[in-house]
Short mmCIF file of all heavy atoms in Angstrom, two decimals:
data_model
loop_
_atom_site.label_atom_id
_atom_site.label_comp_id
_atom_site.label_asym_id
_atom_site.label_seq_id
_atom_site.Cartn_x
_atom_site.Cartn_y
_atom_site.Cartn_z
N LYS A 96 58.51 160.07 151.20
CA LYS A 96 58.78 159.17 152.34
C LYS A 96 57.59 158.32 152.66
O LYS A 96 57.71 157.10 152.88
CB LYS A 96 59.19 160.01 153.57
CG LYS A 96 60.56 160.63 153.47
CD LYS A 96 60.85 161.43 154.71
CE LYS A 96 62.20 162.15 154.60
NZ LYS A 96 62.42 163.10 155.72
N LEU A 97 56.38 158.91 152.70
CA LEU A 97 55.16 158.17 152.94
C LEU A 97 54.92 157.13 151.85
O LEU A 97 54.51 156.01 152.16
CB LEU A 97 53.96 159.15 152.99
CG LEU A 97 53.54 159.68 154.34
CD1 LEU A 97 52.45 160.72 154.16
CD2 LEU A 97 53.05 158.55 155.27
N ALA A 98 55.13 157.52 150.61
CA ALA A 98 54.90 156.58 149.51
C ALA A 98 55.85 155.43 149.56
O ALA A 98 55.45 154.26 149.30
CB ALA A 98 55.01 157.34 148.16
N ARG A 99 57.11 155.68 149.86
CA ARG A 99 58.08 154.59 149.96
C ARG A 99 57.64 153.60 151.05
O ARG A 99 57.75 152.35 150.89
CB ARG A 99 59.48 155.13 150.30
CG ARG A 99 60.12 155.83 149.14
CD ARG A 99 61.62 155.99 149.31
NE ARG A 99 62.19 156.99 148.39
CZ ARG A 99 62.35 156.80 147.07
NH1 ARG A 99 61.98 155.63 146.53
NH2 ARG A 99 62.84 157.73 146.30
N GLU A 100 57.15 154.13 152.15
CA GLU A 100 56.64 153.30 153.24
C GLU A 100 55.45 152.49 152.75
O GLU A 100 55.34 151.29 153.05
CB GLU A 100 56.19 154.19 154.42
CG GLU A 100 55.71 153.43 155.64
CD GLU A 100 55.27 154.35 156.75
OE1 GLU A 100 56.14 154.98 157.40
OE2 GLU A 100 54.03 154.48 156.97
N THR A 101 54.55 153.10 152.01
CA THR A 101 53.40 152.43 151.44
C THR A 101 53.82 151.26 150.56
O THR A 101 53.34 150.12 150.70
CB THR A 101 52.53 153.39 150.60
OG1 THR A 101 51.91 154.31 151.50
CG2 THR A 101 51.43 152.66 149.81
N PHE A 102 54.71 151.50 149.64
CA PHE A 102 55.11 150.45 148.69
C PHE A 102 55.87 149.30 149.37
O PHE A 102 55.75 148.14 149.00
CB PHE A 102 55.92 151.05 147.52
CG PHE A 102 55.19 152.15 146.81
CD1 PHE A 102 55.87 153.24 146.36
CD2 PHE A 102 53.85 152.09 146.60
CE1 PHE A 102 55.22 154.29 145.71
CE2 PHE A 102 53.15 153.11 145.96
CZ PHE A 102 53.81 154.21 145.52
N SER A 103 56.57 149.65 150.43
CA SER A 103 57.28 148.63 151.20
C SER A 103 56.29 147.79 151.97
O SER A 103 56.33 146.53 151.91
CB SER A 103 58.25 149.30 152.18
OG SER A 103 58.84 148.34 153.04
N LYS A 104 55.38 148.42 152.70
CA LYS A 104 54.41 147.71 153.53
C LYS A 104 53.41 146.92 152.68
O LYS A 104 52.91 145.87 153.13
CB LYS A 104 53.66 148.67 154.45
CG LYS A 104 54.50 149.21 155.61
CD LYS A 104 53.69 150.08 156.49
CE LYS A 104 54.53 150.61 157.70
NZ LYS A 104 54.91 149.52 158.63
N ALA A 105 53.11 147.40 151.52
CA ALA A 105 52.15 146.74 150.61
C ALA A 105 52.80 145.66 149.72
O ALA A 105 52.09 145.00 148.96
CB ALA A 105 51.43 147.76 149.77
N GLY A 106 54.11 145.52 149.80
CA GLY A 106 54.82 144.54 148.99
C GLY A 106 54.86 144.86 147.54
O GLY A 106 54.79 143.97 146.68
N LEU A 107 55.01 146.16 147.20
CA LEU A 107 54.95 146.58 145.81
C LEU A 107 56.23 147.19 145.26
O LEU A 107 56.26 147.79 144.21
CB LEU A 107 53.82 147.64 145.64
CG LEU A 107 52.38 147.11 145.86
CD1 LEU A 107 51.40 148.27 145.87
CD2 LEU A 107 52.02 146.09 144.82
N GLU A 108 57.31 146.97 145.98
CA GLU A 108 58.58 147.60 145.56
C GLU A 108 59.10 147.10 144.22
O GLU A 108 59.82 147.81 143.52
CB GLU A 108 59.65 147.41 146.65
CG GLU A 108 59.37 148.20 147.91
CD GLU A 108 60.28 147.90 149.06
OE1 GLU A 108 60.41 146.70 149.40
OE2 GLU A 108 60.88 148.81 149.61
N ASP A 109 58.69 145.91 143.81
CA ASP A 109 59.07 145.38 142.49
C ASP A 109 58.11 145.81 141.39
O ASP A 109 58.38 145.62 140.23
CB ASP A 109 59.16 143.83 142.52
CG ASP A 109 60.29 143.34 143.40
OD1 ASP A 109 61.25 144.13 143.62
OD2 ASP A 109 60.20 142.19 143.88
N ILE A 110 56.96 146.36 141.77
CA ILE A 110 55.92 146.77 140.81
C ILE A 110 55.95 148.26 140.53
O ILE A 110 55.72 148.71 139.39
CB ILE A 110 54.52 146.35 141.28
CG1 ILE A 110 54.47 144.87 141.59
CG2 ILE A 110 53.45 146.74 140.30
CD1 ILE A 110 54.61 143.97 140.36
N VAL A 111 56.23 149.04 141.56
CA VAL A 111 56.15 150.50 141.45
C VAL A 111 57.52 151.14 141.53
O VAL A 111 58.28 150.87 142.46
CB VAL A 111 55.26 151.07 142.59
CG1 VAL A 111 55.13 152.59 142.45
CG2 VAL A 111 53.85 150.45 142.59
N GLU A 112 57.82 151.97 140.56
CA GLU A 112 59.05 152.76 140.55
C GLU A 112 58.67 154.21 140.94
O GLU A 112 57.97 154.87 140.16
CB GLU A 112 59.72 152.73 139.20
CG GLU A 112 60.98 153.61 139.14
CD GLU A 112 61.53 153.74 137.73
OE1 GLU A 112 61.22 152.90 136.85
OE2 GLU A 112 62.33 154.67 137.50
N LEU A 113 59.13 154.61 142.09
CA LEU A 113 58.82 155.98 142.59
C LEU A 113 59.95 156.94 142.21
O LEU A 113 61.09 156.70 142.56
CB LEU A 113 58.63 155.96 144.14
CG LEU A 113 58.42 157.27 144.80
CD1 LEU A 113 57.22 158.04 144.28
CD2 LEU A 113 58.30 157.06 146.31
N VAL A 114 59.60 157.99 141.47
CA VAL A 114 60.56 158.98 141.02
C VAL A 114 60.34 160.27 141.81
O VAL A 114 59.24 160.84 141.73
CB VAL A 114 60.45 159.24 139.51
CG1 VAL A 114 61.48 160.31 139.08
CG2 VAL A 114 60.64 157.96 138.73
N HIS A 115 61.35 160.69 142.55
CA HIS A 115 61.28 161.94 143.32
C HIS A 115 61.76 163.08 142.39
O HIS A 115 62.95 163.21 142.18
CB HIS A 115 62.12 161.81 144.58
CG HIS A 115 62.06 163.03 145.47
ND1 HIS A 115 62.92 163.25 146.50
CD2 HIS A 115 61.22 164.12 145.44
CE1 HIS A 115 62.61 164.41 147.09
NE2 HIS A 115 61.58 164.95 146.47
N GLY A 116 60.84 163.86 141.90
CA GLY A 116 61.21 164.92 141.00
C GLY A 116 60.00 165.51 140.30
O GLY A 116 58.88 165.06 140.50
#
Side-chain angles (χ1 to χ4, degrees):
K96 287 178 183 174
L97 267 174
R99 288 198 196 286
E100 182 181 288
T101 291
F102 304 142
S103 174
K104 287 183 178 292
L107 294 172
E108 291 173 306
D109 292 337
I110 303 294
V111 182
E112 178 188 342
L113 175 58
V114 179
H115 182 192

